[in-house]
Amino acid sequence: MQQPTNRLNVVAMTTRKIGVTELALRDAHQSLMATRMALEDMVDACEDIDKAGYWSVECWGGATFDACIRFLNEDPWERLRTFRKLMPNSRLQMLLRGQNLLGYRHYEDGVVDKFVEKSAENGMDVFRVFDALNDPRNLEHAMQAVKKVGKHAQGTICYTVSPLHDVQGYIDLAGRLLDMGADSIALKDMAALLKPQPAYDIIRGIKDTYGEDTQINVHCHSTTGVTMVTLMKAIEAGADVVDTAISSMSLGPGHNPTESLVEMLEGTDYETGLDMDRLINIRDHFKTVRPKYAEFESKTLVNTNIFQSQIPGGMLSNMESQLKAQGAGDRIDEVMKEVPVVRKAAGYPPLVTPSSQIVGTQAVFNVLMGRYKVLTAEFADLLLGYYGEAPGERDKDLIEQAKKQTGKEPITERPADLLEPEWDNLVEEADELDGTDGSDEDVLTNALFPQVAPGFFKTRPDGPKNVGKTKEQLEREEAKASGDATAIREPIMYKVTTGGRSHTVSVEPA
């Protein structure tokens, strides 16, 4: 009888490459610090980001356009051009709100075409196109516009949980997006609701139904504490690309850490190919930058209440900031409990911009003023169908209240079909403003934010910026925290009397 040998059977292991989208330049600071990070604090990391080996770099769209002109006195188009120049080897990616573009209303198709065209000209490669209601009618034209300029159209499924949402529904929606010409599918979990098993089932279902070559990108926030496991199950199910944020810009209402993903995949059948030395450089850069923006930071680390409220990460820090400004910062828990009530009344929309802001603001009104004593104009329009078709039935009594308040009738058609061509009018409006340069980009900036843009045009590029704390302020805080009592870090006031007259003198530290 032949004796067994001690020889090991070595089986060659083939690894599957997992692409990574880095979020530090957009969604990370939108979620952690109310979108306040200035371009000046990003540029020094761009070379390492460009050479780290990411599938794409998300750096534009979402709330960044608004924040640039509202708070930072930055031209968002110049920000995009700068990123294109500093990251020539990278796919630049943006988040586009379908027919809403980057604003909070629907724009007619010609404006959508122009915005996509100018975004591509200024350097954008990948357009992640989503709709707050997952209404395919609000996605189709934007997707066609992206395809027309030869860029990557990523059709997006906004993940949510309700009595009306199930795995098969998400698989079917993916099919509709592919029929529109989507180059890839994004499963977007904006509130950290996507648990591991549903992620596996949805991704595996899409692959089984439409083919293994269907590219699937997965975006998760980290707020509830479960989604690093979700990313692993998504990869096992066949996900091709996952979104992460460098560790010094991660966690809380933000995202899972990039370096942690790399380490998690070590010894498995999957690898990212990212350059860890570059990642460390990126990490250390933002570790130094982040304290500047402490005043804007969300205090949330882990919040499992979000499984009920479904507040997205990007909204949480902004909502906390808004409540504090109204002297109601201590009522955030009440508002979060009210959000599911409002969401049910609106037909269970996913909560993502702008539906998250609309539902969230109505929840704030309900808490501060009494339930539905006042309907916001936006919530009334949501009830009446002017943002699109909700997944479920809306509250009939509130629809009647919205009709009386607005004088509008409910609609069932695609909202943009009601809009007249408006580009020529938008050009005329921009031409009348001080400080515009006559470019299509300025016309679009004013079209997206007509209340904010005129002031921005007047002050750029020399107007005031709100870019967090200065280096000197941080040094004083660091010395104070370290107990350095010998260092003079604050001005000292002296009262000096000469010639019978008293004077107050302030002496600044050297």
Side-chain angles (χ1 to χ4, degrees):
M1 181 175 181
Q2 185 175 355
Q3 296 296 314
T5 68
N6 293 323
R7 185 179 59 195
L8 295 176
N9 291 319
V10 179
V11 179
M13 179 181 290
T14 59
T15 58
R16 182 164 69 87
K17 177 75 174 290
I18 304 300
V20 178
T21 294
E22 176 58 57
L23 304 172
L25 303 184
R26 204 284 296 180
D27 203 9
H29 67 94
Q30 177 172 324
S31 300
L32 294 175
M33 52 193 66
T35 330
R36 289 303 206 278
M37 187 173 288
L39 179 62
E40 65 189 54
D41 288 322
M42 305 182 206
V43 291
D44 288 344
C46 285
E47 182 178 358
D48 284 308
I49 292 173
D50 190 45
K51 295 178 179 178
Y54 291 109
W55 185 84
S56 68
V57 180
E58 191 196 54
C59 61
W60 211 58
T64 58
F65 199 106
D66 185 354
C68 277
I69 65 172
R70 190 182 299 271
F71 301 116
L72 304 177
N73 200 47
E74 282 183 29
D75 189 325
W77 297 99
E78 183 59 30
R79 177 181 281 204
L80 174 55
R81 289 190 288 269
T82 300
F83 284 144
R84 180 71 287 161
K85 179 181 178 181
L86 295 178
M87 296 183 285
N89 304 301
S90 298
R91 291 186 188 92
L92 301 188
Q93 180 172 313
M94 73 169 294
L95 186 64
L96 185 70
R97 300 169 188 157
Q99 208 73 31
N100 288 52
L101 298 176
L102 299 179
Y104 300 99
R105 71 168 176 90
H106 283 225
Y107 294 87
E108 63 91 15
D109 292 340
V111 178
V112 173
D113 291 336
K114 184 66 72 171
F115 181 86
V116 170
E117 174 191 327
K118 301 312 292 188
S119 299
E121 282 183 15
N122 282 276
M124 190 49 58
D125 299 305
V126 180
F127 292 75
R128 178 172 286 175
V129 185
F130 78 96
D131 177 65
L133 303 182
N134 278 337
D135 186 342
R137 302 173 306 168
N138 294 335
L139 293 165
E140 187 165 14
H141 193 86
M143 298 266 286
Q144 291 172 351
V146 174
K147 300 290 287 185
K148 184 177 179 181
V149 296
K151 298 299 183 178
H152 185 109
Q154 190 169 95
T156 304
I157 299 168
C158 295
Y159 181 79
T160 190
V161 178
S162 84
L164 306 175
H165 292 86
D166 58 22
V167 169
Q168 189 58 49
Y170 289 122
I171 295 171
D172 293 343
L173 179 56
R176 294 193 65 176
L177 297 174
L178 292 169
D179 288 343
M180 292 178 192
D183 296 299
S184 60
I185 298 295
L187 183 58
K188 177 178 172 61
D189 173 26
M190 54 279 176
L193 298 173
L194 184 59
K195 297 175 185 177
Q197 194 59 49
Y200 186 94
D201 294 341
I202 293 168
I203 293 163
R204 192 66 255 153
I206 293 172
K207 293 277 187 174
D208 288 344
T209 304
Y210 308 111
E212 292 294 332
D213 59 347
T214 303
Q215 180 178 321
I216 301 177
N217 294 43
V218 180
H219 174 93
C220 289
H221 287 251
S222 58
T223 330
T224 58
V226 304
T227 57
M228 183 59 103
V229 183
T230 298
L231 291 184
M232 190 70 221
K233 290 294 287 185
I235 290 168
E236 291 175 350
D240 302 280
V241 183
V242 296
D243 291 12
T244 59
I246 203 72
S247 61
S248 52
M249 291 289 291
S250 69
L251 298 179
H255 311 82
N256 294 293
T258 305
E259 306 97 300
S260 300
L261 175 80
V262 174
E263 299 290 354
M264 180 177 72
L265 296 182
E266 186 175 347
T268 71
D269 295 344
Y270 316 100
E271 53 95 18
T272 65
L274 293 177
D275 184 331
M276 185 59 80
D277 290 337
R278 296 283 185 182
L279 298 187
I280 290 170
N281 291 342
I282 300 164
R283 178 200 69 190
D284 291 348
H285 169 81
F286 286 108
K287 182 180 179 181
T288 302
V289 164
R290 185 168 174 172
K292 286 183 62 176
Y293 300 93
E295 64 185 294
F296 304 113
E297 285 233 24
S298 169
K299 300 301 185 288
T300 299
L301 295 177
V302 176
N303 190 336
T304 54
N305 288 335
I306 287 172
F307 285 121
Q308 285 73 49
S309 72
Q310 302 202 19
I311 294 289
M315 182 183 173
L316 195 57
S317 59
N318 283 282
M319 179 180 283
E320 290 172 339
S321 178
Q322 291 164 5
L323 283 171
K324 288 175 185 175
Q326 298 174 44
D330 60 337
R331 305 192 73 178
I332 182 69
D333 288 341
E334 292 178 69
V335 172
M336 290 184 70
K337 289 179 181 177
E338 185 67 14
V339 166
V341 176
V342 178
R343 178 172 177 252
K344 179 180 179 181
Y348 290 109
L351 294 186
V352 62
T353 304
S355 63
S356 56
Q357 283 81 355
I358 294 170
V359 170
T361 301
Q362 187 62 51
V364 170
F365 274 46
N366 286 3
V367 168
L368 299 183
M369 302 178 189
R371 185 169 287 171
Y372 304 121
K373 295 296 183 184
V374 177
L375 299 183
T376 69
E378 293 79 12
F379 187 66
D381 280 347
L382 180 63
L383 290 167
L384 295 172
Y386 288 91
Y387 285 92
E389 182 180 359
E393 187 175 348
R394 298 150 174 151
D395 186 286
K396 291 184 173 60
D397 292 337
L398 289 177
I399 290 175
E400 290 301 316
Q401 185 177 340
K403 287 169 60 177
K404 291 177 183 177
Q405 179 175 309
T406 64
K408 298 178 180 178
E409 289 296 318
I411 64 169
T412 56
E413 59 262 65
R414 184 181 81 121
D417 288 341
L418 303 177
L419 301 176
E420 297 292 331
E422 57 179 328
W423 179 252
D424 290 343
N425 291 336
L426 293 172
V427 171
E428 290 180 11
E429 290 174 12
D431 285 344
E432 294 175 0
L433 299 175
D434 293 338
T436 57
D437 58 14
S439 67
D440 288 345
E441 286 86 347
D442 273 6
V443 175
L444 289 163
T445 297
N446 188 60
L448 291 170
F449 299 101
Q451 307 302 319
V452 181
F456 164 72
F457 292 140
K458 288 179 182 178
T459 61
R460 67 176 178 184
D462 301 320
K465 293 185 178 182
N466 185 359
V467 293
K469 296 179 180 179
T470 65
K471 179 180 179 182
E472 291 74 18
Q473 286 174 313
L474 290 171
E475 287 176 349
R476 288 199 292 269
E477 289 182 1
E478 184 178 349
K480 185 176 180 180
S482 67
D484 185 357
T486 63
I488 298 174
R489 302 290 182 178
E490 300 290 345
I492 299 176
M493 307 299 291
Y494 294 94
K495 183 175 284 188
V496 180
T497 302
T498 61
R501 299 184 66 180
S502 182
H503 306 271
T504 300
V505 179
S506 174
V507 180
E508 296 284 340

